Amino acid sequence: MSTTPPVLAAELAQAWADIQRHHPELPDLAAPESLIGESSSACGAELSFERLLHEAVHGIAAARGVRDTSRAGRYHNRRFLAIAEELGLDHPEEPHASSGFSLVTLNPEAKRRYRTTIERLQRALKAHTVATAADTKRSFRGPAARHGSSGGGVRVKAVCDCGRNVRVVPSVLAQAPIMCGGCGKPFRIPDSVGETVGAAS
């Protein structure tokens, strides 16, 4: 299997078309390439079929003229959840304080319905990841990335109590607090690993 981004883009487009067969009102996916190599802070998820189905919820909401998010697209409301449930996504817990019902997961029926599509996309994603990792090893990333300063490393979402968020390298946040100009409180990384960083700051 080729591991070039155009091939992965084609697989994403095919998976999207598979969703459209079950939900004809879903608009076409204009640029599958835009989903490659990026995560969504609002979705809190890396690229996968589950993430693609999440994006399809937004597509159907747009087609229906439904406002499914607020707070600059970060907070996913109950209208988002209602459409998500139509597409086979569940959110069994209470809404997250800053992202609402964004962290939806495939229900068993959707897993059965899209089993072949999921397997095909997973193969393409795995091949793309292997190819990308090989390219990264051969490429020059500069001194900032090699030494782990603020110019390099993986940035994660840090949030404050008022719901604002920034992207930051965890090691930078560990050096000193980054204060929110809106509420005056420090940003913290909300996942279990980041809580330690947030507490230390």
Side-chain angles (χ1 to χ4, degrees), residues 75-137:
Y75 191 89
H76 294 57
N77 59 35
R78 289 189 183 276
R79 289 184 291 274
F80 170 87
L81 181 59
I83 299 172
E85 289 173 346
E86 289 179 37
L87 270 66
L89 293 166
D90 287 337
H91 190 285
E93 301 173 0
E94 289 299 307
H96 186 274
S98 61
S99 61
F101 295 98
S102 68
L103 300 179
V104 286
T105 57
L106 281 166
N107 67 28
E109 182 183 346
K111 287 178 182 177
R112 287 191 297 272
R113 178 188 307 147
Y114 295 111
R115 182 179 57 82
T116 302
T117 304
I118 292 168
E119 290 172 354
R120 191 178 63 236
L121 185 58
Q122 283 176 335
R123 285 194 298 270
L125 285 166
K126 184 176 180 180
H128 177 70
T129 300
V130 169
T132 303
D135 289 343
T136 301
K137 288 176 184 175

Side-chain angles (χ1 to χ4, degrees), residues 50-63:
E50 200 166 71
R51 159 85 189 281
L52 198 64
L53 206 56
H54 177 127
E55 297 298 336
V57 174
H58 291 305
I60 289 178

Side-chain angles (χ1 to χ4, degrees), residues 114-181:
Y114 295 111
R115 182 179 57 82
T116 302
T117 304
I118 292 168
E119 290 172 354
R120 191 178 63 236
L121 185 58
Q122 283 176 335
R123 285 194 298 270
L125 285 166
K126 184 176 180 180
H128 177 70
T129 300
V130 169
T132 303
D135 289 343
T136 301
K137 288 176 184 175
R138 291 194 298 266
S139 63
F140 175 72
R141 298 178 64 216
R146 291 199 308 274
H147 297 297
S149 72
S150 61
V154 177
R155 287 171 171 77
V156 297
K157 183 170 72 170
V159 300
C160 71
D161 290 346
C162 69
R164 300 178 73 209
N165 67 74
V166 295
R167 288 277 175 179
V168 63
V169 178
S171 61
V172 173
L173 191 60
Q175 294 170 13
I178 297 175
M179 309 305 288
C180 174

Side-chain angles (χ1 to χ4, degrees), residues 4-10 12 31-39 47 51 125 128 132:
T4 58
V7 171
L8 178 54
L12 286 166
E33 297 86 353
S34 66
L35 295 172
I36 299 173
E38 68 176 32
S39 62
L47 186 54
R51 159 85 189 281
L125 285 166
H128 177 70
T132 303

